[in-house]
Amino acid sequence: MKRLFATLLLCLVSLSGQSVTITVEPTLEKNPNQRAPLAAILHVQLSEVADGWVDVLDDYGNEWRLDFNSIDANAQLPIIGMRPDRKHTVIFSVRDKSTGNVVTSNPLSYKTPALPTAFYEFPTINLVKSVPDDMEPGLTFLSVRRRALGRGKWFTEKQRDFSVNWGLIVAVDSKGEVVWYYQHDNRNAGIQRLKNGNILMNLADFTAIEIDMLGNEVNSWHAELRPQGVKDNSIPIADAQSLHHQPYETPQGTFMAFTANQRTFENYYTSEVDPNAPRATQVIMGDEIIEFDKQGNILWSWDTFDYLDPYRIGYNTFLHYWWVRGFPNTLDWTHGNGLIYSAEDDSVIISLRLQDAFIKIDKKTKEIIWILGEHSDWPEHLQSKLLTPVGDNFEWPYHGHNPRITSEGTIILFDNGMMRARPFNSGLEPKDAWSRTVEYRIDEENMTIEQVWASAFSTDEEKCNAWAMSDAHYLPKTKNILEILSFCVPNIDGVSWNDFDDVRFVSDFPYTGTVKEFDRKGDNQRRVVFQLELESEFDLWQWEVYGGFRDSLQYPNN
């Protein structure tokens, strides 16, 4: 309210000597794209190009400002950040570049629509804890999915449609209130805020799309050889059978992605628990990491088949992961799920879930610099690349996700912790497994690795088994950690990791997604300052939070 009154007062004292004018009073319209229904469009007409801003106030006292640089004489400005089912007051102001004088419009009133009322169209968001003064500024953006209960291989056509033909990105504030959302008719995976303020996401149909904050599709790329065939109005990525998991924009404005492709191998494993089981000819899916430009041209690639041992399998190699995605009878070998580029030494760090490894690659030479992961089963030519643990409380990650580099040069990643073992060693049962965010410090000269911080330990009484998806971010201003637990498997006996088994499988339960922010300062370095949960009202399906990020509402180049 104070900012709004200050704006009006500034206008009253700044009208003399002005040269820029508002030629027609602004008008507000509902966003025509109902994929982002909480957004609106402000139509303004000016006498010349100028800088300006929009102050927004809702009837609950929330107030914020949207800045816009070089507004065209006839412009449409996105108004974002409005809460659902609420009246908002919107005031537009513009500053003359030569005199500094400010002109302000009359206040406009706008009522936002309510959230979807169908309980299967929007999760229940419960705020458990919030300490705004200790949190990283900004909104929490989450990639949300819904999934029918049970095993994908047994889904009916309607269950598959329910699970795959729906996706949601939602942004919440420190109160847990929804301030923006985007609803799509395709299951979304990883999301990233681009430098231009748009959002890049990967979809289940092996496409990557860029959307603006009005929900408009700006760009689209798809795997040329995907099972679904050519996608209209989308740029094909040549020779790729898939685009999947977490997308990534480089500092140069290009994109990096995983594309998994099939190859056939003879005398291959048929079991991940019995090394002596009969062998067979098998089709396996292995990842290639590609860098491409906005035109879809591949600028760089690194193929796991060329550098790693295809006979080094992992737990879940025989899961029906690729079967239900259009590749029948195809095994899962690497399952790449996250990467990051380091401009400091021109390197790429990738996460290969089923190898239980994070691998750093010299981008220029394509040579492996180090391998972060358990030391078992690596071929002789890679033994020298393995990092040696030092220090106390060290634990290797298993089936992890999304490596990220902090400003201190450490590595933050999400450790799903599935089984905490590799074939053919027996691992933990689902009720005993635990997941965490973990931070490592790597000494490349001495090839050592030290565990610096973790959000959970094996000795904790309460632990979460988030065996798939999930995410972790280092928050640069506060140095807090944002942890996204896609779900937690119930802690009960008689649950299997293997969807071939006849007992209950880990995906047979209703799930609740959990988001936590940790303040690591002081004596309690795992102090939770923000926590919310996404729940299903009737436990009839799963709400999964694939991942997300913390960022401001503002378009950076406004």
Side-chain angles (χ1 to χ4, degrees):
M1 185 67 72
K2 292 181 179 179
R3 175 186 285 173
L4 197 57
F5 284 142
T7 297
L8 292 172
L9 180 62
L10 182 61
C11 295
L12 293 175
V13 302
S14 303
L15 290 175
S16 61
Q18 65 194 35
S19 57
V20 65
T21 59
I22 300 174
T23 58
V24 178
E25 274 296 316
T27 58
L28 262 175
E29 73 162 324
K30 178 177 70 173
N31 181 16
N33 187 344
Q34 283 305 287
R35 293 192 184 281
L38 295 184
I41 296 177
L42 182 69
H43 296 267
V44 300
Q45 294 186 39
L46 307 176
S47 59
E48 60 185 65
V49 176
D51 295 339
W53 59 89
V54 176
D55 287 300
V56 188
L57 173 72
D58 71 17
D59 54 6
Y60 281 67
N62 296 296
E63 182 181 1
W64 66 100
R65 173 171 290 180
L66 301 169
D67 293 312
F68 297 92
N69 298 327
S70 300
I71 302 170
D72 291 336
N74 192 340
Q76 299 181 21
L77 307 180
I79 307 303
I80 50 181
M82 295 184 286
R83 280 77 174 168
D85 195 24
R86 199 169 295 183
K87 181 182 175 182
H88 296 76
T89 299
V90 177
I91 298 178
F92 171 67
S93 301
V94 64
R95 186 188 302 276
D96 184 80
K97 291 184 178 180
S98 58
T99 67
N101 291 334
V102 174
V103 184
T104 293
S105 71
N106 292 321
L108 295 169
S109 181
Y110 185 81
K111 176 72 179 295
T112 49
L115 293 177
T117 55
F119 48 80
Y120 55 84
E121 287 291 345
F122 211 91
T124 299
I125 300 177
N126 292 325
L127 181 68
V128 178
K129 185 176 184 179
S130 178
V131 188
D133 289 345
D134 296 331
M135 292 172 57
E136 182 86 358
L139 303 174
T140 305
F141 289 76
L142 302 172
S143 175
V144 181
R145 297 140 71 118
R146 70 183 185 192
R147 186 182 187 279
L149 299 184
R151 311 178 194 200
K153 65 178 182 178
W154 291 339
F155 277 178
T156 66
E157 184 175 347
K158 290 183 179 180
Q159 284 179 306
R160 186 166 301 284
D161 288 344
F162 178 84
S163 303
V164 174
N165 296 331
W166 186 91
L168 177 73
I169 301 175
V170 60
V172 298
D173 63 10
S174 61
K175 302 175 186 177
E177 290 188 322
V178 175
V179 299
W180 179 89
Y181 74 92
Y182 168 87
Q183 200 264 305
H184 196 57
D185 54 7
N186 202 315
R187 184 174 171 87
N188 40 271
I191 57 175
Q192 183 190 18
R193 192 83 184 270
L194 301 178
K195 292 192 294 291
N196 64 10
N198 291 338
I199 292 177
L200 179 67
M201 75 180 82
N202 279 346
L203 301 175
D205 64 356
F206 305 126
T207 65
I209 64 171
E210 175 188 352
I211 62 167
D212 63 22
M213 296 300 287
L214 293 175
N216 301 313
E217 189 171 302
V218 178
N219 286 302
S220 174
W221 302 267
H222 68 277
E224 180 185 43
L225 304 179
R226 67 183 193 144
Q228 298 89 340
V230 175
K231 180 181 179 180
D232 294 336
N233 303 314
S234 179
I235 298 170
I237 304 298
D239 299 325
Q241 290 184 286
S242 65
L243 287 175
H244 60 91
H245 285 84
Q246 184 73 31
Y248 181 77
E249 181 188 32
T250 72
Q252 294 76 31
T254 59
F255 305 105
M256 284 188 166
F258 289 97
T259 170
N261 302 292
Q262 293 169 312
R263 290 197 191 181
T264 301
F265 288 85
E266 297 179 352
N267 196 36
Y268 205 80
Y269 290 106
T270 59
S271 171
E272 61 193 31
V273 296
D274 180 7
N276 299 313
R279 302 289 188 99
T281 298
Q282 302 270 36
V283 178
I284 70 172
M285 197 68 104
D287 280 292
E288 183 178 7
I289 299 89
I290 59 172
E291 178 185 7
F292 61 93
D293 60 21
K294 288 189 175 182
Q295 292 72 43
N297 301 307
I298 295 179
L299 309 175
W300 180 86
S301 65
W302 192 89
D303 197 329
T304 54
F305 283 118
D306 296 335
Y307 293 88
L308 304 179
D309 178 8
Y311 288 86
R312 186 180 190 266
I313 65 171
Y315 279 116
N316 278 170
T317 288
F318 301 94
L319 197 71
H320 287 84
Y321 183 85
W322 289 109
W323 296 33
V324 300
R325 289 165 173 78
F327 299 94
N329 302 310
T330 299
L331 306 185
D332 197 1
W333 171 48
T334 51
H335 199 110
N337 58 28
L339 59 84
I340 189 167
Y341 170 77
S342 171
E344 183 176 347
D345 58 0
D346 193 28
S347 65
V348 182
I349 300 175
I350 64 173
S351 171
L352 301 179
R353 174 176 168 85
L354 296 198
Q355 293 295 299
D356 295 301
F358 296 79
I359 299 176
K360 183 173 182 178
I361 302 160
D362 185 304
K363 190 166 181 285
K364 183 177 181 180
T365 66
K366 298 189 177 182
E367 293 300 315
I368 293 175
I369 299 174
W370 48 249
I371 298 173
L372 189 171
E374 182 187 311
H375 289 193
S376 62
D377 302 328
W378 291 101
E380 185 176 350
H381 73 280
L382 293 177
Q383 290 289 324
S384 63
K385 307 297 184 181
L386 299 173
L387 296 170
T388 301
V390 296
D392 300 325
N393 300 317
F394 186 88
E395 292 273 0
W396 288 118
Y398 290 87
H399 276 47
H401 275 78
N402 292 337
R404 293 188 170 95
I405 303 171
T406 74
S407 59
E408 284 79 29
T410 57
I411 306 293
I412 288 280
L413 56 92
F414 189 84
D415 171 17
N416 294 82
M418 180 179 165
M419 296 190 75
R420 297 206 170 270
R422 287 202 36 83
F424 293 91
N425 299 310
S426 59
L428 299 179
E429 295 182 12
K431 68 181 181 64
D432 298 319
W434 47 279
S435 306
R436 61 181 182 155
T437 297
V438 60
E439 179 181 13
Y440 294 112
R441 181 178 291 112
I442 295 172
D443 182 340
E444 292 188 2
E445 182 177 351
N446 295 307
M447 291 295 286
T448 59
I449 179 170
E450 176 187 6
Q451 182 171 303
V452 178
W453 181 88
S455 65
F457 294 89
S458 60
T459 54
D460 292 347
E461 290 188 8
E462 294 186 7
K463 297 184 282 290
C464 172
N465 172 13
W467 66 279
M469 300 174 284
S470 304
D471 206 353
H473 286 268
Y474 171 87
L475 302 176
K477 293 182 179 179
T478 58
K479 300 183 181 180
N480 289 355
I481 297 297
L482 179 67
E483 178 179 77
I484 299 172
L485 301 157
S486 290
F487 50 72
C488 296
V489 177
N491 182 12
I492 61 176
D493 291 323
V495 180
S496 173
W497 297 109
N498 193 330
D499 66 350
F500 284 96
D501 289 344
D502 293 331
V503 298
R504 298 190 78 174
F505 179 52
V506 284
S507 67
D508 292 343
F509 302 91
Y511 286 154
T512 296
T514 301
V515 180
K516 293 181 179 181
E517 181 178 349
F518 294 92
D519 175 7
R520 303 185 294 167
K521 298 182 290 293
D523 294 333
N524 180 8
Q525 295 198 353
R526 294 191 288 164
R527 184 171 74 98
V528 176
V529 294
F530 179 69
Q531 180 175 340
L532 58 82
E533 296 177 351
L534 280 70
E535 298 180 349
S536 171
E537 186 173 353
F538 299 107
D539 282 350
L540 295 177
W541 56 86
Q542 300 166 348
W543 288 117
E544 304 170 340
V545 186
Y546 183 93
F549 56 81
R550 174 73 54 79
D551 203 355
S552 70
L553 183 70
Q554 191 76 26
Y555 259 92
N557 296 323
N558 281 344

